[in-house]
Amino acid sequence: MKKAALIIVSILLIALVAVTFVACSTATVQGQLRDVWRPYEKYTYSVTDGDTVGTYVVEIIHNEDKNVTIGTVNLENVSKGIIINGHLTIGGTEYITSCYVQLISGSSYLIPKASYKKQIVDGNVTLELGGTYADGKYNYSGTENGAVKDGSIALASPYYDNNEIHQLLRGVNGMAVGFSFSFNVPVTIGESSSASLSASCAAVETVNYGDTPTECYVVALARSTKVAGKSHKLYYSTKPIKVDGWDLPNVLVQFVEPTADGDVYYTLTSISLTK
């Protein structure tokens, strides 16, 4: 079995090549985003890592409560936003992630307020970090392999949280071949710094959602620093997928994560709009 890792975690660890854009939107990142989510959405993926098969579940929950708990982080007096939870199980490893994203802050949109990640290997917690965003910084604390780990990372605007990137891209208004933008994220695993990521679409391909061939925009997600390597590929439906009478735009049908031992495939198996 190859060592599987949640795409949003590993993209900050693997050296990725900066992509060359076919065309570049002149709009700002904020100008390209919109709210596309129902009050509750759940996406389940099968994960194939060599001969090992696992599952990855993502929940998106609209929140209007003033007090919110994200893992080990308690937020008070927050504005309306979205909770994004992720849970990957494969082999003897679990990755649990969560973040809180404020829908609107001044003229900005989908701004991260808190983040949490936990890794469990063979029943043992090997990583647990929680952090908050404020005043252009990500302040985090927790443990890694039993050692205390805390710090603060300065972030240039626009910045987002690692755990929201998939959903952030679903919110692109008018996704099409040629769209692109860059943004910053904090890196807490393996280093303590900010990284610039680039997302761009240069192609349309057909992949299956169940037994249904589904046309998708192929979005390359790459780190703009480090040595050359492979980009992650994310496949978003070009047409809305109907669930319970609702049209869901830019559904992430599949994504492919490169590792040193080969690619890991995440393939959508089901969607639910009910808790």
Side-chain angles (χ1 to χ4, degrees):
M1 181 187 77
K2 300 188 294 293
K3 183 179 180 182
L6 184 61
I7 184 174
I8 296 306
V9 173
S10 64
I11 193 168
L12 302 179
L13 302 179
I14 297 172
L16 298 174
V17 64
V19 293
T20 300
F21 300 145
V22 173
C24 183
S25 170
T26 57
T28 64
V29 175
Q30 290 298 328
Q32 296 185 63
L33 299 178
R34 57 181 175 144
D35 182 359
V36 300
W37 302 276
R38 301 299 307 156
Y40 176 85
E41 298 180 8
K42 178 181 178 180
Y43 297 85
T44 301
Y45 297 82
S46 65
V47 184
T48 306
D49 180 10
D51 296 329
T52 302
V53 176
T55 59
Y56 176 47
V57 178
V58 180
E59 290 182 302
I60 300 95
I61 307 164
H62 268 265
N63 174 73
E64 295 189 7
D65 294 337
K66 292 295 184 180
N67 300 325
V68 179
T69 298
I70 302 297
T72 57
V73 181
N74 295 315
L75 298 175
E76 297 181 350
N77 297 318
V78 296
S79 299
K80 183 184 300 185
I82 299 174
I83 299 169
I84 303 173
N85 296 324
H87 191 174
L88 169 67
T89 303
I90 187 164
T93 300
E94 287 184 81
Y95 295 91
I96 299 167
T97 61
S98 187
C99 68
Y100 189 75
V101 182
Q102 187 171 318
L103 280 175
I104 301 173
S105 178
S107 60
S108 298
Y109 191 64
L110 294 179
I111 301 303
K113 304 302 291 184
S115 181
Y116 172 78
K117 58 177 66 72
K118 183 177 184 179
Q119 177 178 284
I120 305 169
V121 180
D122 297 328
N124 299 311
V125 176
T126 58
L127 173 76
E128 187 170 29
L129 289 176
T132 57
Y133 293 84
D135 302 322
K137 292 182 179 180
Y138 178 62
N139 303 301
Y140 63 93
S141 63
T143 60
E144 184 175 13
N145 296 319
V148 173
K149 183 181 179 72
D150 55 41
S152 181
I153 299 172
L155 293 165
S157 183
Y159 60 82
Y160 298 99
D161 186 76
N162 304 341
N163 302 326
E164 72 172 309
I165 293 174
H166 287 167
Q167 293 303 315
L168 169 77
L169 294 175
R170 275 194 64 207
V172 169
N173 186 15
M175 183 182 288
V177 172
F179 101 85
S180 66
F181 63 74
S182 297
F183 51 94
N184 298 298
V185 295
V187 185
T188 55
I189 301 177
E191 53 186 295
S192 181
S193 64
S194 65
S196 177
L197 301 184
S198 298
S200 69
C201 176
V204 171
E205 295 181 15
T206 298
V207 298
N208 284 343
Y209 170 39
D211 296 326
T212 305
T214 305
E215 185 182 71
C216 295
Y217 295 115
V218 185
V219 175
L221 185 61
R223 186 167 176 171
S224 301
T225 53
K226 303 287 186 182
V227 298
K230 290 185 178 180
S231 300
H232 295 250
K233 289 186 177 180
L234 298 86
Y235 296 79
Y236 293 92
S237 61
T238 60
K239 297 179 181 179
I241 292 179
K242 189 177 290 293
V243 179
D244 297 339
W246 296 99
D247 288 332
L248 304 181
N250 298 347
V251 170
L252 182 59
V253 176
Q254 185 181 83
F255 53 98
V256 183
E257 171 193 30
T259 74
D261 299 315
D263 292 339
V264 180
Y265 288 83
Y266 298 70
T267 303
L268 182 63
T269 58
S270 66
I271 304 172
S272 175
L273 302 183
T274 305
K275 276 191 177 182

